[in-house]
Amino acid sequence: MTNRTAAPVTVIGLGLMGRALATAFLKAGHPTTVWNRSSSRATELVAEGARSAPSVGAALEASPLTVLCVTDYRAVRELFDASEAELAGTTLLNLTSGDSTQARETARWAEQHGARYLDGAIMAVPPVVGTADATILLSGPHSDFGTHRTTVEALGTVTHLGEDHGLAALYDVAGLAMMWSVLNAWLQGTAMLRTAGVDAATYAQFARRMAVGVADWLPGYAEQIDRGSFPAEVAALETDARAMAHLIEESEALGVNAELPKLFKAMADRAIAAGHGGEQYPVLIEEFSKP
Ligand SMILES: NC(=O)c1ccc[n+]([C@@H]2O[C@H](COP(=O)([O-])OP(=O)(O)OC[C@H]3O[C@@H](n4cnc5c(N)ncnc54)[C@H](OP(=O)(O)O)[C@@H]3O)[C@@H](O)[C@H]2O)c1
């Protein structure tokens, strides 16, 4: 059921994610127009109350905000190139995944066509969209975020990261680095513990406490990085490097993969060789900041 006070919104791209976005807008009462290259994908949404636009141009005209969610940035450009739709005067919110360069280039392209542009990233899977657990990251002009904030909040918990259009994509990939690092570290430990008959579920309880405990160090370590000064308040890097050697030896002795521990140690060894062995772990930011 649409709500007379809720702003109209258009969704272009009705794959798994685009359909979830359109459903969340409909549930929040927004008059919702949809368009997809293969029009059959709109059928269920139309039954739920969406309006199917006959063309990209008609889809843009239907709402002050158009949300794009297609495979990649190339598809975004292809769909507009194929349609010759008039972009002037509309606002695009591109929730398609990509990198920061693509986001900034697409912002310039949209501006050249007279459109306003916000870029974004969805840190959630489709079933979570429309709940507070769906994190939606946005970047682009603050005024455009302010204008459309209430509409976008139908999708989840929305954070505006700043005016630089590339920020949402950067946070997106930084979050992926966090996710895979935690998962790989957990799998390393699980492989080791399983050699002693400890099952994954048992170790997962301990691993979770470790991950949460280490996460608590981040604000203090971040202060050191932002100050550019790394006094060894709790441990020196060379102490950590000795523990890394122990992790490598244990992995090899148990016959499990030692690639990840060796990567940790190689980076620490380079920082120690550069004279940072007496400093604290976040001094490794210098290794991470090189190409
Ligand atoms: N699914 C997730 O869990 C998830 C989570 C976070 C972010 N995302 C991001 O959301 C975006 C969409 O993902 P998805 O899961 O919805 O993918 P999907 O199910 O594969 O849907 C892809 C959509 O892109 C459209 N498309 C592809 N190329 C096109 C082109 N050249 N012109 C016009 N339309 C084109 C497809 O149209 P047709 O139907 O005509 O093929 C379809 O609507 C991706 O960037 C993805 O990384 C997805």
Side-chain angles (χ1 to χ4, degrees), residues 114-138:
R116 307 198 65 81
Y117 184 81
L118 289 161
D119 203 272
I122 306 165
M123 311 292 285
V125 290
V128 177
V129 168
T131 74
D133 289 338
T135 295
I136 311 291
L137 304 177
L138 297 190

Side-chain angles (χ1 to χ4, degrees), residues 12-19 21 35-41 68-80 82 95-98 121-127 129 172:
I12 289 183
L14 302 175
L16 287 166
M17 185 52 88
R19 291 202 298 279
L21 301 175
W35 183 88
N36 194 61
R37 180 178 60 179
S38 322
S39 57
S40 60
R41 280 186 152 172
L68 307 172
C69 189
V70 289
T71 307
D72 52 25
Y73 279 66
R74 184 197 294 220
V76 170
R77 297 290 281 274
E78 278 174 7
L79 82 87
F80 284 110
L95 294 179
T96 301
S97 303
I122 306 165
M123 311 292 285
V125 290
V129 168
D172 190 9

